[in-house]
Amino acid sequence: MKPLITIIIPIYNVEKYLRKCVESVLNQTYRNLEVILADDGSNDACDYICDEYARIDKRVTVIHKQNGGLSSARNVGLNVAQGEYIGFVDSDDYIDANMYENLYSALSKTAADMAICNFKRVDGDGVRVYAKNEKPPLTNAILVDYCEMIQLLYRYHGVANAYNKLYKKKLFERIRYPDGRLHEDEFIIHRILHLCGSIVTVPDTSYFALSRKGSVISTGYSDKRFEDRLAAFMDREQFFKDTGYRKLCKFTMRSVYGLLIEAIESDWYRNNKRNIKNGLAAGTVVKLALHFDLRALKLLYVFNKYPIEKLLTFKFYLYFMFNCLKTKSPRIFLLATPTHGNLGDHAITYAERKLFKKLDYQKRLIEVSHDDYLRNAAWLQTRIKPLDIITIDGGGNLGTLWKHNDDKITDIITQFTWNKIFIFPQTCFYHPGAGSAERLERNKRKYAACKDLTVCLRDKMSYDFARANFDGVKLLYAPDIALSLSCYIKGKHLNRNGVLLCLRSDREKSLSVLAQTSISDFLIKNQIPFIEASTVIKRLLPISCAKRKRELYRKWREFKRSRIVVTDRLHGLIFAAITGTPCIAVDNESGKINGAYQWISGLRFIHFADRPELINAEIAGMYGEALDCGRFVYPDTVEKEIRNWRL
């Protein structure tokens, strides 16, 4: 008989979600379970629901206790647990039917002490909710070195959480969760890992964490949240020192850095600025600097942002006034252009500027970066005249996929309702799920209120959606403007060799970790050299207009050196097309890869893989082929529209 697994479910006022949670545990394919329902003094119907499950399933044990918090409820369960293995499930979450079967199988095959699977945060409709700066998911691995385990904690998604794991019970012989603390799992994970001889990671996504109002994770920043999380990181740093792992302290300082940056972006920070700035920030800067970590510079900038912001604002005023003096009227404003590391967005802006230059409008053009726009939006509203023309960068920003960018565009449309506004080719995509319908209705109202709004859509699905929903808006169907750069990228191709894997790891990724591993394994097996690359570069400092061209050409040279590109990034596909590099493209959730491919399907060196499992066969077929690398001729839809402005 398989060993007993104890699943502890701490419960407090979740009657709406509790049945789904408990049912998902009781319906596990692994049947030898002890399920402990620790009712932490709920004042709704949770106590009744718990007792009901105890009556109908003998595997269920119920503990009713006074309210003491999440740690207290878990600890009560640990104190009475009979199983050889321990798992935790939060009472508003649910799990896949095979979760504990798979985790136990991984433990038994590897003799590890802990198994971890991936988890996914979802809303009430089961739609995925993405965290800001979300880390990549776990891959299949066995780790025996403590330093590697700790690095796993910082590099991958969900390693610190108490749930999504199966532990050997011996790990909790002397460890309990700290009572009265938030982020209680952060206090013990480093101690648990230290006791593990080895751990195994399973790439399956088997745990579903509900994101809802009123849950612990969704509440905003507070003194308690900040202090407890900071205390957990400080405890971890001291633990590393006490156990002889001082070199791991740099990872803890990076956590404190992340905590500070996260806190600064919250409303709570305004009331606690002085307390944080005078002590903690200075100490963190010094410790990061001692580890030669450039985050020290960014933190120094953030906490001295006000005088720096004033200087940058003054610099922008000078730039704006100088350009207004030398430009003709009416002027063309290209607003909120990128300064981040996404080179796809920079290619779009670069192409837009090239088009204005081709039309001899560069003397009317004033570019305002995203950062300058955010700092000076109200001031710009008083300086831009009604006859001036507002243009907005193209991209994949309309709808719910990147809400902050959609909000920025709507804000510009609202501020300059009486100006002519032209939006370069965009993808328009609204997720099904919470908040999507409200956002669409808001955008309909804002767009309709604009006197003269033209929106270009870069794929058929977006164009058809916009036609069905945005009445009174002039709509144009045109490819991503970056494709027009094909005629500007000149020079001989470099010696091509190997495969360039340009694959996403964020919310838009289309290939699972297993699919990506399958590709790299195939290349290794067939002795085909490959490199992993991205169209997003990591930089602490913004990419200015002056540095844009240099960074783009550096990336394009990387593409031109490759024999084949495999990508699920839209601008991975576009960069391959404009540099004449053979490419295998895979679609993503929003359909924008397929939308772009429809424009360039006539290019014989660009292949579209309908299914991920076909990629290896495509590589094998293309790698030895001499493909005709022609050029895409960009249609004149956008150019004609801009010429009609008759400036």
mmCIF file with all atom_site columns, all heavy atoms in Angstrom, residues 61 238 248 420 481 557:
data_model
loop_
_atom_site.group_PDB
_atom_site.id
_atom_site.type_symbol
_atom_site.label_atom_id
_atom_site.label_alt_id
_atom_site.label_comp_id
_atom_site.label_asym_id
_atom_site.label_entity_id
_atom_site.label_seq_id
_atom_site.pdbx_PDB_ins_code
_atom_site.Cartn_x
_atom_site.Cartn_y
_atom_site.Cartn_z
_atom_site.occupancy
_atom_site.B_iso_or_equiv
_atom_site.pdbx_formal_charge
_atom_site.auth_seq_id
_atom_site.auth_comp_id
_atom_site.auth_asym_id
_atom_site.auth_atom_id
_atom_site.pdbx_PDB_model_num
ATOM 1  N N   . THR A 1 61  ? -10.420 14.807 8.757   1.00 0.00 ? 61  THR A N   1
ATOM 2  C CA  . THR A 1 61  ? -10.395 15.157 10.182  1.00 0.00 ? 61  THR A CA  1
ATOM 3  C C   . THR A 1 61  ? -10.613 16.660 10.306  1.00 0.00 ? 61  THR A C   1
ATOM 4  O O   . THR A 1 61  ? -9.984  17.438 9.575   1.00 0.00 ? 61  THR A O   1
ATOM 5  C CB  . THR A 1 61  ? -9.040  14.795 10.819  1.00 0.00 ? 61  THR A CB  1
ATOM 6  O OG1 . THR A 1 61  ? -8.826  13.393 10.691  1.00 0.00 ? 61  THR A OG1 1
ATOM 7  C CG2 . THR A 1 61  ? -8.996  15.192 12.282  1.00 0.00 ? 61  THR A CG2 1
ATOM 8  N N   . GLN A 1 238 ? 20.466  36.336 8.107   1.00 0.00 ? 238 GLN A N   1
ATOM 9  C CA  . GLN A 1 238 ? 21.174  35.894 9.310   1.00 0.00 ? 238 GLN A CA  1
ATOM 10 C C   . GLN A 1 238 ? 21.388  34.383 9.296   1.00 0.00 ? 238 GLN A C   1
ATOM 11 O O   . GLN A 1 238 ? 22.438  33.882 9.719   1.00 0.00 ? 238 GLN A O   1
ATOM 12 C CB  . GLN A 1 238 ? 20.382  36.302 10.560  1.00 0.00 ? 238 GLN A CB  1
ATOM 13 C CG  . GLN A 1 238 ? 21.139  36.105 11.860  1.00 0.00 ? 238 GLN A CG  1
ATOM 14 C CD  . GLN A 1 238 ? 22.441  36.893 11.895  1.00 0.00 ? 238 GLN A CD  1
ATOM 15 O OE1 . GLN A 1 238 ? 22.472  38.083 11.597  1.00 0.00 ? 238 GLN A OE1 1
ATOM 16 N NE2 . GLN A 1 238 ? 23.542  36.223 12.246  1.00 0.00 ? 238 GLN A NE2 1
ATOM 17 N N   . LEU A 1 248 ? 25.426  33.646 -0.168  1.00 0.00 ? 248 LEU A N   1
ATOM 18 C CA  . LEU A 1 248 ? 24.012  33.693 -0.551  1.00 0.00 ? 248 LEU A CA  1
ATOM 19 C C   . LEU A 1 248 ? 23.324  34.965 -0.064  1.00 0.00 ? 248 LEU A C   1
ATOM 20 O O   . LEU A 1 248 ? 22.185  35.223 -0.450  1.00 0.00 ? 248 LEU A O   1
ATOM 21 C CB  . LEU A 1 248 ? 23.279  32.470 0.003   1.00 0.00 ? 248 LEU A CB  1
ATOM 22 C CG  . LEU A 1 248 ? 23.702  31.104 -0.566  1.00 0.00 ? 248 LEU A CG  1
ATOM 23 C CD1 . LEU A 1 248 ? 22.932  29.990 0.134   1.00 0.00 ? 248 LEU A CD1 1
ATOM 24 C CD2 . LEU A 1 248 ? 23.473  31.039 -2.072  1.00 0.00 ? 248 LEU A CD2 1
ATOM 25 N N   . LYS A 1 420 ? -6.482  65.962 -33.891 1.00 0.00 ? 420 LYS A N   1
ATOM 26 C CA  . LYS A 1 420 ? -6.446  64.793 -34.761 1.00 0.00 ? 420 LYS A CA  1
ATOM 27 C C   . LYS A 1 420 ? -5.496  63.786 -34.129 1.00 0.00 ? 420 LYS A C   1
ATOM 28 O O   . LYS A 1 420 ? -4.352  64.116 -33.798 1.00 0.00 ? 420 LYS A O   1
ATOM 29 C CB  . LYS A 1 420 ? -5.949  65.179 -36.155 1.00 0.00 ? 420 LYS A CB  1
ATOM 30 C CG  . LYS A 1 420 ? -5.889  64.023 -37.154 1.00 0.00 ? 420 LYS A CG  1
ATOM 31 C CD  . LYS A 1 420 ? -5.402  64.504 -38.508 1.00 0.00 ? 420 LYS A CD  1
ATOM 32 C CE  . LYS A 1 420 ? -5.463  63.378 -39.536 1.00 0.00 ? 420 LYS A CE  1
ATOM 33 N NZ  . LYS A 1 420 ? -6.835  62.892 -39.765 1.00 0.00 ? 420 LYS A NZ  1
ATOM 34 N N   . ILE A 1 481 ? 4.246   48.312 -38.444 1.00 0.00 ? 481 ILE A N   1
ATOM 35 C CA  . ILE A 1 481 ? 5.055   49.308 -39.143 1.00 0.00 ? 481 ILE A CA  1
ATOM 36 C C   . ILE A 1 481 ? 6.532   48.918 -39.192 1.00 0.00 ? 481 ILE A C   1
ATOM 37 O O   . ILE A 1 481 ? 7.280   49.348 -40.087 1.00 0.00 ? 481 ILE A O   1
ATOM 38 C CB  . ILE A 1 481 ? 4.869   50.698 -38.483 1.00 0.00 ? 481 ILE A CB  1
ATOM 39 C CG1 . ILE A 1 481 ? 5.405   51.818 -39.371 1.00 0.00 ? 481 ILE A CG1 1
ATOM 40 C CG2 . ILE A 1 481 ? 5.500   50.728 -37.107 1.00 0.00 ? 481 ILE A CG2 1
ATOM 41 C CD1 . ILE A 1 481 ? 4.577   52.086 -40.587 1.00 0.00 ? 481 ILE A CD1 1
ATOM 42 N N   . ARG A 1 557 ? 22.042  42.275 -36.275 1.00 0.00 ? 557 ARG A N   1
ATOM 43 C CA  . ARG A 1 557 ? 23.245  41.523 -36.661 1.00 0.00 ? 557 ARG A CA  1
ATOM 44 C C   . ARG A 1 557 ? 23.214  40.117 -36.070 1.00 0.00 ? 557 ARG A C   1
ATOM 45 O O   . ARG A 1 557 ? 23.660  39.149 -36.702 1.00 0.00 ? 557 ARG A O   1
ATOM 46 C CB  . ARG A 1 557 ? 24.506  42.268 -36.196 1.00 0.00 ? 557 ARG A CB  1
ATOM 47 C CG  . ARG A 1 557 ? 24.910  43.417 -37.100 1.00 0.00 ? 557 ARG A CG  1
ATOM 48 C CD  . ARG A 1 557 ? 26.334  43.879 -36.804 1.00 0.00 ? 557 ARG A CD  1
ATOM 49 N NE  . ARG A 1 557 ? 26.486  44.392 -35.451 1.00 0.00 ? 557 ARG A NE  1
ATOM 50 C CZ  . ARG A 1 557 ? 26.262  45.659 -35.107 1.00 0.00 ? 557 ARG A CZ  1
ATOM 51 N NH1 . ARG A 1 557 ? 25.867  46.550 -36.023 1.00 0.00 ? 557 ARG A NH1 1
ATOM 52 N NH2 . ARG A 1 557 ? 26.430  46.054 -33.866 1.00 0.00 ? 557 ARG A NH2 1
#
